[in-house]
Amino acid sequence: MFHEEKKKKIGDARWQRLCLSGELWPRPTEVRNRAHPIPVSSSFLGRSSAAHPTPTTVPPAPKPVAMAAAAAISAPPGPPRLALRLHPSTPSSCSPAASPPPMRALPVLRRCLRRRLTTAVHAVKQDAAVWTPAPVSAVGAATSDGSIFHVAVDLSDAADLAGSYTSPGQYLQIRVPSGGGGEELKPAFMAVASPPGAGARFEFLVKSVPGTTAERLCGLRDGDVVELGAVMGKGFPLERITPADAAQTVLIFAAGTGISTIRSLVEFGFGADERSDVRLYYGARSLKTMAYQDKFENWESAGLKIIPVLSQPDDSWKGERGYAQEQCYVDRGKCKRKSPQPLSRMVYRRIKF
């Protein structure tokens, strides 16, 4: 190489003097191959801009290799290459003097910005949400063990909110005002259990969970005021099974409080009596935790076949045992069940109709 040959001719002492005086400049290819980044700016070395002002013009040539290497060794270590430094003493990322981040850092920056923007948007939406106060018209146990409650809200003074509920499966946020004397709890997302067009009244199926808004809802009395957010979601895609000839077989699955949206679907109507096979697989731990048992007869008269499946039944239960999705798999004649656990793990992968 050129520098190695010249170094042999002039000797090591002369070579060092030339490097320190700035009379010898390295080739660009050799600069890229060295361990320390060249050139070493004052912002990288952690020096203040007052003592070392940033030049307004770019020098025509880089600093000598030896000076840069010596400065990099004597100076404290700089920040990681992927770090974004926005100190007042250093140029900002929007400044023309700041160098852009490495190309390999762009995916990381995109993910970080996406997460922060999503969190900010959700916070703004929640803060800017329009809350509609409405009185509670009914609260009662929906199951015999008292773990699930039926809550109804009167919307006589909120006709716009009631009219925005147009499709079964939609949901909204609900919160209970603390009244200044209690802790403000996070709003809860609740699916509307009553069908669209059922009048100025929203009904919910709520499972009492300690320390949450759901627990407060289950403890309300008639006349207590709650606050409802806007109706959200598109609901069930009923157009995919309309008309009835397009889908003669419809399988519906629900477990626990998930039966609330199925109730709105069944009572809203989707032509179940016009189809050859419409089944509802309803899973629960036991009959004591199964809601809406008083509505089964009306649902079956509308053309729906209900198949209760209990995972922890008592000895008197003569019906299906296990899990709802597994029972559907067994009904199709794909296999003979020996125990519920293995099938419940593989049913989503192997079920085919």
Side-chain angles (χ1 to χ4, degrees), residues 237-243 246-247:
L238 297 180
E239 66 278 0
R240 298 178 60 180
I241 58 172
T242 304

Side-chain angles (χ1 to χ4, degrees), residues 31 36-45 58-59 61-65 68-69 71-72:
V31 173
H36 298 286
I38 303 298
V40 181
S41 63
S42 60
S43 61
F44 178 81
L45 299 178
V58 180
K63 295 182 179 181
V65 177

Side-chain angles (χ1 to χ4, degrees), residues 11-255:
D12 293 341
R14 177 59 177 167
W15 172 263
Q16 293 179 3
R17 286 196 297 270
L18 288 176
C19 290
L20 294 175
S21 63
E23 299 178 9
L24 181 65
W25 301 97
R27 293 184 179 181
T29 55
E30 294 186 6
V31 173
R32 288 196 296 268
N33 292 333
R34 294 185 178 270
H36 298 286
I38 303 298
V40 181
S41 63
S42 60
S43 61
F44 178 81
L45 299 178
R47 302 173 184 174
S48 63
S49 58
H52 303 277
T54 304
T56 57
T57 59
V58 180
K63 295 182 179 181
V65 177
M67 293 179 64
I73 294 174
S74 61
R81 296 190 65 181
L82 297 182
L84 294 179
R85 302 186 63 191
L86 297 178
H87 299 286
S89 60
T90 58
S92 65
S93 58
C94 298
S95 174
S99 60
M103 292 300 295
R104 63 175 178 272
L106 293 181
V108 178
L109 295 177
R110 290 194 192 101
R111 288 194 294 269
C112 294
L113 291 176
R114 189 181 299 113
R115 284 195 297 266
R116 293 186 180 182
L117 289 175
T118 303
T119 304
V121 168
H122 288 174
V124 170
K125 285 184 177 180
Q126 183 171 342
D127 293 340
V130 178
W131 295 98
T132 303
V136 174
S137 59
V139 178
T143 57
S144 59
D145 68 341
S147 61
I148 301 177
F149 287 79
H150 171 78
V151 180
V153 180
D154 184 13
L155 298 180
S156 300
D157 297 332
D160 294 340
L161 180 61
S164 63
Y165 177 43
T166 58
S167 177
Q170 289 181 303
Y171 58 95
L172 50 75
Q173 283 184 298
I174 183 170
R175 66 183 184 183
V176 181
S178 60
E183 180 183 0
E184 188 72 23
L185 296 178
K186 184 178 180 180
F189 285 91
M190 295 287 176
V192 183
S194 52
R201 174 186 172 103
F202 278 174
E203 298 180 11
F204 304 94
L205 195 63
V206 185
K207 182 178 181 179
S208 180
V209 179
T212 64
T213 298
E215 184 184 27
R216 286 190 179 179
L217 286 173
C218 298
L220 296 178
R221 298 181 180 179
D222 295 357
D224 291 342
V225 177
V226 297
E227 294 179 343
L228 304 178
V231 175
M232 295 181 285
K234 299 180 180 180
F236 290 107
L238 297 180
E239 66 278 0
R240 298 178 60 180
I241 58 172
T242 304
D245 295 338
Q248 282 294 308
T249 300
V250 179
L251 304 179
I252 307 173
F253 299 84

